[in-house]
Structures are given as C-alpha cells and as structure tokens.
Amino acid sequence: MTENNWDSTQPIVSIKDVYKSFGALEVLKGLSLDVMKGEVICIIGPSGSGKSTLIRCVNGLNDINSGSITVEGQEVHDEKLDKLELRKKVGMVFQQYNLFPHKTALQNVMMAPVLVLKEPRAEVEQRARALIKKVRLEGKEDSYPGELSGGQQQRVAIARSLAMQPDVMLFDEVTAALDPETVKEVLVTIKELAQEGMTCILVTHEMGFARELADHIYFTDRGVIVEHGPPRTFFNDAKDPRTKEFLSQIL
Amino acid sequence: MSDAMIESIREFFRQLAETHPKWNFIYIYDPGVGERVLDGFWMTIQLSVVCVILSVVIGVVGAWLQRSHHVWARLLVQGYVQFFRNTPPLIQLLFFYFALGQFTPTYSPDGWLEQPVISNVGWAIISLSFFAGAFNVEIFRSGIEAVPESTIEASESLGMSHLQTYIYVILPLAFRVSLPALNNNLVNLVKTTTQAIVIAVPELLYQLVSIYNDYSTAQNACMVLMFVVYIGLVGILVLGMNRWERGMQIPGYGA
Ligand SMILES: Nc1ncnc2c1ncn2[C@@H]1O[C@H](COP(=O)(O)OP(=O)(O)OP(=O)(O)O)[C@@H](O)[C@H]1O
Ligand SMILES: [Mg+2]
C-alpha cells in the first residue's frame, strides 16, 4: 500500500456508512463500525442480514456502492488500490474451508507466501510447519484435504491465512459446517490467536465464544447494525426488541 | 535377432508373395519399401506428438481467454471454436494449404527455387492443432466450470493474482475433470492425422497408399499394417493417458 499517515491509535479497520446492493436487493444500508488493532469483534445476526457480505467487502471480494472502508488508513474500494496488496494485510477464513484439494496441508499453507510474497521456499516451509504445529496438526503435513476431517481442514485453512502474516483476520462462520465436537478445536485455535493480539473480525453464532472473547459485539439485521456493545451489556441488557428476540432464540 | 533369422523371415514372406499373390508383404522383404514405411511411421509420430502438445496449449490459452474481461477476446475465441468445431478437418487442411498457403511469403534457399516458408507439413501441424485445439478449449472450459467459485475466491483472498490462480488452482483442478474428454479428443486427433494425406504430407497412410499404387499385390498387406499401427499408437496413447489420470488422482477427492 502507498504511504499514509495511519498509526495504531486509529482504527485498523474502519467501515463508514457502507451501502451495498446486489441488483435491486439492498443488502447493506448504511453500516458503520470501527475496529482497533488487537481487538476481537463479533458480528451476529439472522441469516441473510448481510454479515458475509460485510466482511467480504473488507477484503475486496465484494465491492460497495457507497461509503468507505479503510484498512490501516487505506481506502479499500479505491480504483487505484492494488487488491493484492490489501489481501496481504487481511486474511480470510471461510465457512466451507475452501482448501486447495490438490495440495497437501503443508502445500496449502506454503502456496501463497511462495507465490505472492516471493519468499524463499525453505523459509516458508519452516514457518508453515510451525503454523501447522500451532493449529495442532503435527503429523498431518502431507495429508490432502480430502483425508482430513472438517475441523482439521478448517485449522489448515487458518494456518494458510496466517502464513501470509496478515494484520487482520476475517472469519465467516468458520464453525458453522462442523459438528459440535470439532467446533471446539477450531475455537481454541482462534482463541489463542486472539489472545496473541491478532485483530479478528468474526461472524459467528457461537455465543459462548463471543461472550468470552469479543471486545465488542455487533448485531445486524436487514443491512443495518441494530445494537452493539461489549459482551456484558450486549447480552444482559439488550434494548432493541429484534436483538432480544434473536438472543432468546439462540441462547 | 540374428541376421540369419531376419533373412529367413524375409525369405518366408518372399515365398508367401509368390504362392499367395494377394498377400505380398513387400515392406518386410524389400528394404527400400521398408524404408518408406518407416519414414511414414516416423512422420505420423512427429505429427501426432507435435499436434497433441500444440492443441493442449491452444486449449489452455483459449480457455483462459474465455474468462477474459475483454468482450472481443471472448468473441474471438468463440468464433474460432465454432469455426473449427463445425467444419470438417479435411476441408480445413485443404483451406490452410491451398488458400492461406498462397499468401505466405516464399524464400529461396539455393537462389533458384522459391519455397514457401510454411511447408505442407507445417500447414498440417497448424491446421490439425487448431482443429483439436478448438475441442480442447471447450473441454477445458467445462472443466473450469466445475471448479467451485469459493475455491477461486480463497485463492484470490490470499493475494494470488488472476493468472496465478488460473495456473496453480483452476487448471490443475479443471484438468482432472477434463482428462476423460481430453483423452477422447487426442485419440481422435491421432486418427485425424491420416487426413494430412490430402496435402501430400508423407505420413504413414500416404506412404502405404503410394506403396500399393506401385505394387498392387501389396494392397492387403498395407491395409493390415495400417490397422495394426493405429491400434498400437492409439493403445499407447490411451494407456499413457490412463496412467496420467491415475497419477493425478488426489487422495480423498472425487471418484
Ligand atoms: N453474489 C450475490 N448475488 C446476489 N445476491 C447475493 C449475493 N451474495 C449475497 N446475496 C444476498 O444478499 C443477502 C445477504 O447475504 P449474506 O450472505 O451477506 O447474508 P448472511 O448474513 O451472511 O447470512 P447467513 O447467516 O445465512 O450466512 C442475501 O439475501 C443473499 O441472498
Ligand atoms: Mg454468511
């Protein structure tokens, strides 16, 4: 990214009054939120409320109609911006893992640093092995995604994103496709990451997790933020009837 | 095999031709004729290998252009594919050699005779590669369509460029899906190389036809050889492709 005056006292991700439609369908209707460096924020809300769309806008997978999204002070939806530069800073993990099925776990993790960052193979391999160890998959380096369980695949996907050494991680319902036992192993990994100071933006339905780890929770419905706050206030004295209804269904 | 053995085999076929004039395997006992068969065989191999490689390259590049943001690039590829898929390869060969051949520059290696820069073999390679390439474009395109959009997004969200994503993610996955269809098309291409006979490319069919024009009793023997060679060639190609297919199989993925 080009030089700018961003420093870590300013929000690392800043979303301001973002509007986004798919054709006639308006999905985001003037949404704003700020994330400080090292913060963990959780976005919750009913299906179709635009959560995925919102975080996909942050790394430029979706474009926006109006408003502004900055990462480290740099406008994301700037025609002149090199999307590749942005994506080196922002990692993303998907609900369906989306690993490269023709590559082993180790190769999945190594691919982008070698091809995008053009780092020496040996160096990348060392880091990749360390990351695989970190997500507790030692011994699975040479397994293909098809040979791994959902939870294991998701942890490889997390390691794959981390290998790019991003400053911000986006997680889009990364445990939603997993069975209850494996959800925990993935959450533990994310928890460690958060505790190490990684800035995390999570879309999640894991309320226990959000309550324990989030610095801030945002509840979205029909393209707007209905209510937000730190977990204690958010869960204990939600004011908006929509939030209350959602929480009563999910808790 | 010892010389004596070879000589006795030759003698056997020489006798056979005399006792059964319909079965004159002249290429076995007449070294000059044998030479012509080998030349034709070698030309067929070269033609097949070069066209197979070029047609795959054309397929890969064409399928990439079909994903282009430029409308004209997509239209160009679409036009090319439709043209070559919907006209007979025999006519394509004639068209390339006789129609386009007129407009290609000539050169004179010895200062006397003018020679076109692209020989009939050259035109056969171009024409047949484009013919099979058109099918390969479509084959790869449908393979690419089978690659989930979400896998492509994952690649791009890691900072990989469109080209890197194409080369390292899309193609390897699309290739696996495409292999059975590619297999068929390449077999077809090898068989179609015989049509280069119409522009006098001295491949196997050309040589064998000219042999039995010279020695009419050799007709049956030439036909037999023709089938044997093509069954062998196609067999080797299919075996190779099947091996490749197995080698590319990913543990725990697909069938
Ligand atoms: N590429 C697209 N084209 C058209 N419509 C889309 C597209 N992506 C999302 N939408 C629509 O936008 C709306 C919001 O989708 P989004 O995926 O952001 O919701 P979500 O909050 O993530 O829901 P869920 O909890 O089910 O994942 C939905 O109505 C969806 O159908
Ligand atoms: Mg979603």
Side-chain angles (χ1 to χ4, degrees), chain B residues 103-120:
Chain B
F103 301 103
T104 51
T106 56
Y107 74 112
S108 182
D110 52 9
W112 291 96
L113 272 173
E114 287 287 310
Q115 281 193 8
V117 286
I118 303 176
S119 65
N120 56 343

Side-chain angles (χ1 to χ4, degrees), chain B residues 34-178:
Chain B
E35 192 79 5
R36 284 159 74 180
V37 171
L38 282 181
D39 285 350
F41 181 66
W42 180 230
M43 176 58 75
T44 290
I45 298 278
Q46 284 176 300
L47 206 55
S48 300
V49 170
V50 173
C51 290
V52 161
I53 293 170
L54 283 181
S55 75
V56 170
V57 171
I58 290 171
V60 167
V61 173
W64 161 255
L65 287 177
Q66 274 195 332
R67 290 170 48 84
S68 162
H69 297 300
H70 299 290
V71 180
W72 55 265
R74 292 200 302 267
L75 281 178
L76 191 76
V77 175
Q78 205 45 41
Y80 152 67
V81 168
Q82 292 308 332
F83 181 83
F84 278 87
R85 264 163 47 114
N86 299 321
T87 54
L90 191 63
I91 295 175
Q92 291 165 14
L93 277 160
L94 292 171
F95 173 78
F96 268 88
Y97 183 58
F98 290 110
L100 293 187
Q102 291 172 22
F103 301 103
T104 51
T106 56
Y107 74 112
S108 182
D110 52 9
W112 291 96
L113 272 173
E114 287 287 310
Q115 281 193 8
V117 286
I118 303 176
S119 65
N120 56 343
V121 177
W123 281 118
I125 288 173
I126 293 172
S127 161
L128 291 169
S129 299
F130 274 106
F131 162 67
F135 287 88
N136 287 348
V137 170
E138 287 296 285
I139 288 168
F140 290 144
R141 189 183 57 82
S142 58
I144 287 168
E145 275 169 11
V147 178
E149 191 59 37
S150 56
T151 309
I152 298 171
E153 278 182 349
S155 170
E156 292 186 347
S157 74
L158 285 164
M160 307 236 279
S161 67
H162 289 306
L163 188 59
Q164 284 172 332
T165 300
Y166 186 65
I167 294 172
Y168 296 101
V169 178
I170 299 176
L171 268 189
L173 293 172
F175 229 79
R176 289 171 165 89
V177 177
S178 304

Side-chain angles (χ1 to χ4, degrees), chain A residues 56 59 61 84 87 90 92 94 98-102 111-112 115-116 118 144 146-147 160-161 164, chain B residues 150-162 164 168-170 172-173 176 250-253:
Chain A
R56 287 163 58 88
N59 80 343
L61 278 180
L84 304 187
R87 287 170 185 165
V90 183
M92 178 149 182
F94 302 85
N98 302 344
L99 291 177
F100 307 127
H102 59 304
M111 193 159 166
L115 292 174
V116 179
K118 313 260 189 273
Y144 285 86
E147 300 171 311
R160 178 176 70 173
S161 277
M164 289 294 286
Chain B
S150 56
T151 309
I152 298 171
E153 278 182 349
S155 170
E156 292 186 347
S157 74
L158 285 164
M160 307 236 279
S161 67
H162 289 306
Q164 284 172 332
Y168 296 101
V169 178
I170 299 176
L173 293 172
R176 289 171 165 89
I250 313 163
Y253 178 79

Side-chain angles (χ1 to χ4, degrees), chain A residues 51-52 95 172-173 203:
Chain A
K51 306 179 298 293
S52 297
Q95 181 172 343
D172 188 4
E173 297 198 47
V203 174

Side-chain angles (χ1 to χ4, degrees), chain A residues 1 22 24 26 29 37 91-92 112 152 156 190 195 199 205 209-210 220:
Chain A
M1 285 186 193
F22 292 107
E26 217 174 19
K29 302 170 194 161
K37 189 172 166 50
M92 178 149 182
Q152 291 171 333
V156 174
I190 299 174
Q195 285 166 344
T199 309
H205 287 142
F209 179 82
T220 60

Side-chain angles (χ1 to χ4, degrees), chain A residues 179-190:
Chain A
D179 48 69
E181 293 98 278
T182 42
V183 165
K184 222 178 114 205
E185 62 194 32
V186 172
L187 290 183
V188 165
T189 302
I190 299 174

